[in-house]
Amino acid sequence: MMDSLPHTTRTDAAGGPSDASEQIEESGVPRPIASEQLLQGRSCVMIRHGDAVYALRATRAGKLILTK
């Protein structure tokens, strides 16, 4: 079932390829990612984490809900 999910490449804000090291500041603290960047105009995105798939949903009230 996991293979049916589309594989995507992460991109940076400019649309170019991104790697995890670009998401960490020199202090070692991860930089926040805007929810708009994750959702890209959608109300729900599916996130694969290991063998599990999670749904990240934006509510009408502007909240985020992550469910397994």
Side-chain angles (χ1 to χ4, degrees), residues 53-67:
V53 176
Y54 296 82
L56 178 65
R57 289 185 170 84
T59 69
R60 289 185 210 155
K63 307 286 183 181
L64 292 176
I65 299 173
L66 181 66
T67 56

Side-chain angles (χ1 to χ4, degrees), residues 6-30:
H7 294 277
T8 59
T9 302
R10 286 192 304 182
T11 59
D12 62 17
S18 172
D19 69 28
S21 64
E22 293 177 10
Q23 298 299 323
I24 307 255
E25 295 181 5
E26 289 182 24
S27 64
V29 177

Side-chain angles (χ1 to χ4, degrees), residues 29-40:
V29 177
R31 275 190 236 153
I33 299 171
S35 61
E36 293 84 4
Q37 186 177 2
L38 294 172
L39 294 168
Q40 298 180 3

